[in-house]
Amino acid sequence: MADTIKTVKSSGGDYSSLSAWEAGQQKTVAGGDREIAECDNFSATTTVTIDGWTVTGEIVIKAAVGHKHTGTRGTGYRLVTGGAVDSLTVNENNVTLDGLELTYTGTTSLTGGLKANALLTGLLVKDCIIEGTTSPALAAWFYFATNNSSSYKCVNSRFIGHDYGVAADYGTGVFYNCTIVGKTNNAIYRD
């Protein structure tokens, strides 16, 4: 059982972007082990896809101590993107996102700050701000095709989408103490 901790800072860290950390650390994470990215207080603009790992342990992406957002947009670590893909896409099991701001500013339909886009289990979203700020953006899309065994848990997080707050296909989602807002449509849309 071991933790591998790498810092993500605009300068002076192990990596200067979360996407560089993902590419550089991508490997097998054995049961009991944790691969941890600690993100400093800065704004990044490169989309990230967590994919290609072999995970029986855990992948943790979190704000470093003292660098978590204050509950207000624009504070702490921020991943703000606007292209044709989601800001952060998770395609692996046992991923924890903790204290991050993920914002999508583009205009591609069914695209947002976070997308869980695989047949996965064990996704935990904790103390995050996740937003889609322009039409037709949503905040988070839990897209699991037809696998009803997929699961995710969201705790103390805020999901605000220009159209939908959270869109979900199959799987089981549990939300504790979250704020979910769809500005022009549903807060939660279940396909």
Side-chain angles (χ1 to χ4, degrees):
M1 294 189 187
D3 288 352
T4 302
I5 302 171
K6 298 293 181 181
T7 57
V8 179
K9 299 181 177 186
S10 58
S11 64
D14 296 309
Y15 293 95
S16 60
S17 72
L18 191 55
S19 61
W21 168 84
E22 197 282 336
Q25 294 301 117
Q26 191 179 96
K27 60 185 172 189
T28 297
V29 183
D33 292 347
R34 296 189 314 161
E35 193 68 29
I36 302 170
E38 286 192 344
C39 301
D40 212 0
N41 181 352
F42 74 101
S43 183
T45 58
T46 304
T47 61
V48 179
T49 300
I50 308 300
D51 195 13
W53 301 63
T54 301
V55 182
T56 55
E58 185 179 8
I59 297 171
V60 178
I61 303 170
K62 67 179 188 171
V65 174
H67 295 280
K68 182 178 150 185
H69 61 78
T70 62
T72 303
R73 232 174 117 213
T75 60
Y77 175 77
R78 304 166 303 284
L79 179 58
V80 182
T81 67
V85 297
D86 304 270
S87 297
L88 177 67
T89 301
V90 176
N91 290 339
E92 295 296 344
N93 291 324
N94 306 326
V95 173
T96 296
L97 307 175
D98 186 358
L100 310 174
E101 177 187 329
L102 308 172
T103 301
Y104 177 74
T105 61
T107 59
T108 301
S109 183
L110 293 177
T111 304
L114 170 65
K115 185 175 188 179
N117 189 29
L119 308 178
L120 59 86
T121 60
L123 173 63
L124 172 61
V125 178
K126 178 181 166 191
D127 298 321
C128 290
I129 298 171
I130 302 175
E131 296 188 70
T133 61
T134 56
S135 183
L138 49 84
W141 189 17
F142 299 102
Y143 179 71
F144 299 120
T146 58
N147 182 2
N148 289 319
S149 64
S150 295
S151 66
Y152 53 95
K153 183 188 297 185
C154 303
V155 180
N156 298 330
S157 293
R158 182 176 84 182
F159 300 86
I160 299 175
H162 190 279
D163 287 346
Y164 299 101
V166 171
D169 282 344
Y170 295 92
T172 301
V174 179
F175 293 83
Y176 295 105
N177 197 36
C178 292
T179 300
I180 305 171
V181 176
K183 293 180 184 175
T184 60
N185 286 305
N186 304 36
I188 301 173
Y189 173 77
R190 175 79 174 185
D191 193 3

